[in-house]
Amino acid sequence: MTGSGTRLLERLGALLDEWPHPTPHHPAALVRSLQRLCDAGLDQLPRPGGGQTLQRWQALATVAAQDLSLCKLYEGHTDALAIFQHYPAQVPAQATWGMWAAEPPQARVTLDTEQRDGSVRLHGRKAWCSGATVLSHGLLTAWNAHGEQQLVAVALQQPGVQVTEDGWQAVGMAATQSVEILFDGAIGQPVGPPNGYLARPGFWQGGAGIAACWYGAASRLAETLRKHCAERDEPHALAHLGQVDCTLTAAASALRDCAAWIDANPEADAELPVRRVRAIVEHSASAVIEHVGRALGAAPYCRDAAAARLLADLPVFLRQSHAERDLAALGGLAARQPQESWTL
């Protein structure tokens, strides 16, 4: 790790250690925590593919281990900043950003033709807007009159923006408030070219950053089991810890290898390595949840506030994976690889 990467993680860890664990579980408390990270410059992560991708993911994992709901806002904010590095844009200081690109069929935002000043007006409904009740700005996907997807930056405190209470009933990740927004003529600024969101290398690179969040939360949950086993000689629990150790070690190795590949191939299509690492880390995180529960029973669910939070939050966050649909897409890519691709 470079000196700058080490200092970033040390500063991030020191600031997070000052806060109670778990972090107060309310949207306003989360955004205050996010703002503190921003004020300290800890949202200025190395850009994906810039030679320090692993350090970027380590920062995401560090925040996820502290509080997964906070990490959800932090990951979206830092993803938006990475996009602004790729597609330079005038962004306000002290802004906190949501990155909202879900496109369910019942929620679609359209935009009018650009105005003289380059701005556009937004119309329609955007779903899965994490942090919309408390963030200051959003970077979202919308559609122009030609059927092209366009990234748009929008201030949330303006006429024509209605942040609803619709679409979020979760117990896990409750404080992220991934609600729906209604746009009725709100003003936004286009970012990058039409269809640029999916076309840039950072799209798949950012997808692996989500896996780093899963990993950070799973590794923190696993520490509950490690602590138990360090204090008690229970063969059954030790067997579960052995399996957890294997699966987390494999996931960490996959993340390191993927980060190294991205840094060596910053402009390449990273879909195959990223789909692989997401599948590996999802399987690992699911296994950790299973083994911790089987080893320790109800105690981490009921008597340990930090573990109980993670056990509620992590299964919800993992559903950013599309399960068998993602595995089928990975299988389609793997089928086209040369026979030697799995050679040791």
Side-chain angles (χ1 to χ4, degrees):
M1 185 186 297
T2 65
S4 60
T6 300
R7 289 192 295 274
L8 168 67
L9 295 176
E10 288 176 347
R11 291 176 58 220
L12 186 58
L15 184 57
L16 292 172
D17 285 345
E18 296 176 3
W19 301 344
H21 187 76
T23 307
H25 211 223
H26 185 275
L30 287 186
V31 81
R32 285 195 297 270
S33 298
L34 175 62
Q35 190 64 64
R36 288 186 65 187
L37 293 174
C38 297
D39 291 344
L42 295 172
D43 59 339
Q44 303 300 311
L45 302 183
R47 64 179 179 85
Q52 299 184 68
T53 299
L54 182 60
Q55 287 90 331
R56 179 183 183 88
W57 295 353
Q58 287 171 332
L60 294 174
T62 298
V63 178
Q66 173 73 15
D67 188 286
L68 204 50
S69 291
L70 173 61
C71 185
K72 176 65 175 173
L73 301 191
Y74 181 70
E75 188 279 328
H77 173 80
T78 54
D79 190 31
L81 296 187
I83 292 172
F84 294 139
Q85 286 183 297
H86 187 79
Y87 294 131
Q90 293 290 331
V91 297
Q94 303 298 314
T96 50
W97 290 90
M99 176 62 239
W100 306 318
E103 293 286 354
Q106 78 280 5
R108 187 179 179 92
V109 176
T110 60
L111 53 87
D112 292 339
T113 304
E114 287 191 17
Q115 311 298 307
R116 288 184 178 180
D117 62 358
S119 67
V120 293
R121 289 192 177 273
L122 303 178
H123 305 271
R125 179 183 295 266
K126 195 67 176 174
W128 301 102
C129 299
S130 297
T133 60
V134 289
L135 296 174
S136 67
H137 290 72
L139 181 61
L140 59 111
T141 52
W143 297 87
N144 65 23
H146 304 290
E148 300 167 316
Q149 190 183 65
Q150 175 68 59
L151 279 170
V152 183
V154 58
L156 299 179
Q157 300 300 316
Q158 64 165 303
V161 177
Q162 180 186 352
V163 179
T164 75
E165 297 181 355
D166 300 335
W168 196 243
Q169 303 297 326
V171 175
M173 303 295 290
T176 60
Q177 293 288 291
S178 298
V179 295
E180 299 182 356
I181 302 177
L182 298 179
F183 294 100
D184 184 14
I187 297 172
Q189 298 295 327
V191 175
N195 297 322
Y197 174 65
L198 297 177
R200 64 196 171 86
F203 172 73
W204 283 108
Q205 295 166 358
I210 295 293
C213 300
W214 298 341
Y215 179 83
S219 62
R220 180 61 177 261
L221 181 60
E223 291 295 345
T224 305
L225 179 56
R226 194 207 305 260
K227 181 175 184 293
H228 176 90
C229 289
E231 297 171 350
R232 300 170 180 82
D233 185 14
E234 296 179 5
H236 188 203
L238 288 168
H240 284 292
L241 181 60
Q243 187 61 57
V244 164
D245 178 73
C246 287
T247 192
L248 284 178
T249 299
S253 179
L255 283 162
R256 294 187 194 104
D257 287 348
C258 185
W261 188 94
I262 287 172
D263 284 336
N265 305 274
E267 299 301 319
D269 181 357
E271 181 178 2
L272 176 58
V274 169
R275 283 195 181 276
R276 280 175 175 160
V277 81
R278 282 171 62 100
I280 290 167
V281 177
E282 180 190 0
H283 177 78
S284 175
S286 298
V288 169
I289 293 170
E290 177 74 7
H291 284 287
V292 167
R294 292 180 70 86
L296 302 181
Y301 290 86
C302 305
R303 302 179 68 88
D304 182 327
R309 176 77 56 76
L310 284 170
L311 286 163
D313 289 348
L314 184 52
V316 178
F317 206 159
L318 284 173
R319 294 283 47 87
Q320 280 195 253
S321 159
H322 300 108
E324 281 69 23
R325 282 184 290 170
D326 283 353
L327 289 174
L330 173 57
L333 294 170
R336 297 192 291 274
Q337 299 305 301
Q339 184 176 348
E340 298 79 15
S341 62
W342 292 330
T343 301
L344 186 63

